[in-house]
Amino acid sequence: SDIGLQRDRVVTEEEWLHKWEMGDIGFHKEQRHPLLQQYLDVLLNGRSGLRIFFPLCGKAVEMKWLADLGHSVVGVEVSEEALKEFFAEHSLPYSEEPVPEIPGAKVLQSTSGDISLYCCSIYDLSSSIVGQFDAVWDRGALVAVNPCDRQRYVSLMITLMDKNSSYLLVTVSYDPNKHKGPPFYVPESEIKSLFG
């Protein structure tokens, strides 16, 4: 699959942090994503009280919505600012704890206990730290991951998924020679080869 000029593109953690600091977050949506609303039944598959993972969560409004529906939400995001904005914008009290297994990382947890957001690189997480999940909502993670890191990302995601897990993935389709990304173009053929 040809992803054009994007093949060697790398966006650093510092660049993502700078986007949050500068408010350059056009990728953040103030409303629930229509595809999550449309396919929620597919994601839940008749189950309630699920553990749902939000990779590269930012301050996604869907986290509170799903927690309000009775699910347990776990997210990961490198920007502490994004996570604090999430709790502030939803008027949710929270506590902060260090994550002993990851130097410098912390977890921000709602006092109700149904939302836990890890502030660290996603690649520092493992199932021994966060457990496994019944569902994954990947609205902007795979398309934000550097093309050279996709295999590493998907390998991690597979280890975080319970055997009956549902994975709802949103990608974007466009000519990768006309836009440097992110969001990066991920052809369907590559999604199939990555996830099997």
Side-chain angles (χ1 to χ4, degrees), residues 119-155:
C119 185
C120 60
S121 165
I122 190 167
Y123 302 115
D124 290 335
L125 289 185
S126 66
S127 57
S128 65
I129 296 170
V130 294
Q132 290 188 305
F133 298 94
D134 305 303
V136 177
W137 167 237
D138 184 337
R139 194 280 289 179
L142 182 63
V143 297
V145 167
N146 293 319
C148 61
D149 292 328
R150 283 182 190 155
Q151 185 62 62
R152 178 183 182 197
Y153 170 80
V154 171
S155 297

Side-chain angles (χ1 to χ4, degrees), residues 25 28-32 59 61 89:
I25 55 169
H28 173 71
K29 303 296 177 217
E30 298 289 340
Q31 304 295 321
R32 290 195 301 258
K59 56 178 184 175
V61 297
E89 289 170 11

Side-chain angles (χ1 to χ4, degrees), residues 2-6 174-180 185:
D2 184 25
I3 55 172
L5 304 171
Q6 295 181 355
Y174 61 84
D175 180 347
N177 292 301
K178 293 184 176 164
H179 179 60
K180 64 181 184 170
Y185 172 64

Side-chain angles (χ1 to χ4, degrees), residues 62-98:
E62 296 91 348
M63 294 189 291
K64 181 172 187 314
W65 178 56
L66 289 170
D68 288 346
L69 291 175
H71 304 288
S72 175
V73 170
V74 175
V76 62
E77 169 61 51
V78 72
S79 169
E80 183 175 353
E81 185 170 333
L83 300 181
K84 288 184 170 179
E85 285 178 18
F86 168 79
F87 286 108
E89 289 170 11
H90 294 282
S91 303
L92 290 173
Y94 67 95
S95 61
E96 286 183 37
E97 307 263 330

